[in-house]
Amino acid sequence: MTIFGANETAPRDGADRSSLGVENQRAMAVARIAIGVTQGLVLYLLYRTTEDQGIGRAMIWPATVPGLFGPLMLVALYLPVVLLAGVGRLRPMTLAVWAGIAAVVLGLLGWHDVVRQAVGNGPDEAPYLDLPLFPFAAVALFIAHHLIVPADQERRWIASFAAYFDTAWKAGVQLALSIGFTVAFWLLLFLGAALFNVIGLRFLGDLIQEPWFAIPVTTLTFAVAVHLTDVRDGLIRGVRSVALMLLSWLLLVMTVLVAGFMAALPFTGLDGLWATGSATALVLAAAGALIVLINTAYQDGRPENAPPAVLKIAVRVAALLLTPLVVLAIWGLALRIGQYGLTPDRIIAAACAVVGGIYAVGYGYAALPVHRAGWMQPLERTNVGAAVATVATILVLFSPLADPARLSVADQMARLERGAVSPEAFDYRFLRFESGRVGEKALARLAASSDAAVATRAKEAQAAESRYEIEPPSVLSQVVIEAYPAGTALPQGFAVPVMSSDIRATCDTAGKCLAQSLDMNGDGQVEVLLANPWMLMLFQQADGAWVEVGTVDLARCGGPRQDPRETMRSGGLRPVPSPWADLEVAGVVNPINRSADCERAQAVAKPPVAAPAPPR
């Protein structure tokens, strides 16, 4: 018995696998079940090393060596998936070489991610990997695997675009169905456990909570699902065809929405977009959605799979819209970096914008009638090139070559040294808790600084056990709070409470925050109402400092959602005395929970309607 794929007569990925010989199907099933069982056992053993062993320490080897445990965990999670997807699709030698390369790369990524973490991952602390590594590693593996499979099947370095499309989209559907099958399996187990619990039998409920059962059964179920979906090739292709058809028509909706958004920008301006604080992520997400939907309409580029004329127009328009979207993303990111410097999130966003730029240039060129190729055909080369660039970018970002934490720390330190940020506004929390070993080393340098203010704050950060013990950086010079009515002035020092609260980053551009001075409780002292796009906040002065005493949600009483700033500008805010005083109970003052507040608010807002006159 040989595993399918060991001979040169193995059908290509596009062939119907339901016609495979019984012996080959059995061999593939045995191989995949063995992979699933082995993965489950390895993951369980790794999990066991992190548990309390009852011998005076929390973990045993290899969990006590984070630089070893992290790579082992990442390899155990992802390498079996590569093997499951490669059995029957790659020649044995190709699969062995590719699996070896994937294992080495995953191991190096896991090792780097652990060793760059801050010191303190000792034998009493569980080793860990940063969360972003998991999705990015999965994306890199998926893309790389489906660059290799078609090339191996066609026996050339670069396969045809039709082969890339067929392999990748089929694998995507297969992965989704396999995950869904595994989730459904566990839902049925929980349902069965609930049924047995009703009659007093708890063995199944207790069993599924045991890691020695749950982990291997999950991996085995996923492996079985992969095999079942693989040998039912016609089913997968049918599901894929339906999914592509439905998604391709959603391209019309997305194209209209993005076109409308771009058309409205000249009239609304960009302030609203920048005010979100996540403009780059939002715009890049829209660009990513367009890229996926364009490909669902274009498919493999064969004439028989060409979309209707209306979708062809939508594809061209969407391809051209990618460029302004990516430009907006880069613009917003550049403004943010110019204001606050580099952070790991901004570096990752910049990398995504670069990949998006590759798509925008390639798709824009494909949409123009300046080339002699067929309809949108340059899109094919763009997809392959962007796929390679995506894998390379992920490997660079999660390796020492372009470690986002290292680059961010270097940039933030340079900003401090050249005076672009003051010692008071510098983010010491980032160095202490968010940038790993390189941040701790930079913080040690600051603690030895000749600048007393810098050294004091750095030493306080070094002594902190939690990020919440460190005062957030002051951004006083960047806060813009407009006074209402125009021409009036806010009380001196009012910006102080804004600096020390979570809303300090909200008031960073003109028009985002509006404040009004008024006496809210009739005590002759001035309070301040601060309106941002979401709510009203009341501040009062106590012991020489301005403190927040409460908030107001304008939609709480069932009214329409309003912009608090517009309500303030229209003069629609005025204090109304409370009809009930607070109640002191055993020396403790308790506010009365007034259930009729909303009815009272409506009565104040709407004058009573006169009763109709009696009929004569």
Side-chain angles (χ1 to χ4, degrees), residues 505-594:
T506 303
C507 308
D508 57 351
T509 56
K512 289 179 64 176
C513 290
L514 193 67
Q516 180 178 2
S517 301
L518 70 171
D519 184 1
M520 286 288 294
N521 53 7
D523 63 352
Q525 301 295 321
V526 172
E527 287 81 39
V528 175
L529 270 178
L530 176 68
N532 66 21
W534 305 280
M535 67 175 65
L536 287 162
M537 286 154 285
L538 176 63
F539 294 89
Q540 74 172 162
Q541 197 167 26
D543 298 327
W546 287 90
V547 294
E548 181 181 336
V549 296
T551 62
V552 178
D553 182 357
L554 298 186
R556 179 167 102 51
C557 291
R561 170 60 65 183
Q562 307 172 53
D563 186 329
R565 299 167 300 178
E566 295 303 320
T567 305
M568 181 177 289
R569 290 190 181 100
S570 66
L573 299 177
R574 63 183 180 88
V576 178
S578 174
W580 301 102
D582 295 336
L583 187 65
E584 181 178 336
V585 181
V588 178
V589 177
N590 296 270
I592 295 177
N593 184 12
R594 295 179 286 270

Side-chain angles (χ1 to χ4, degrees), residues 91-126:
R91 290 174 292 175
M93 182 57 68
T94 306
L95 179 58
V97 173
W98 162 228
I101 294 174
V104 171
V105 172
L106 287 170
L108 291 175
L109 291 178
W111 173 82
H112 169 69
D113 195 65
V114 169
V115 300
R116 72 175 186 82
Q117 301 288 346
V119 179
N121 226 24
D124 295 328
E125 300 178 25

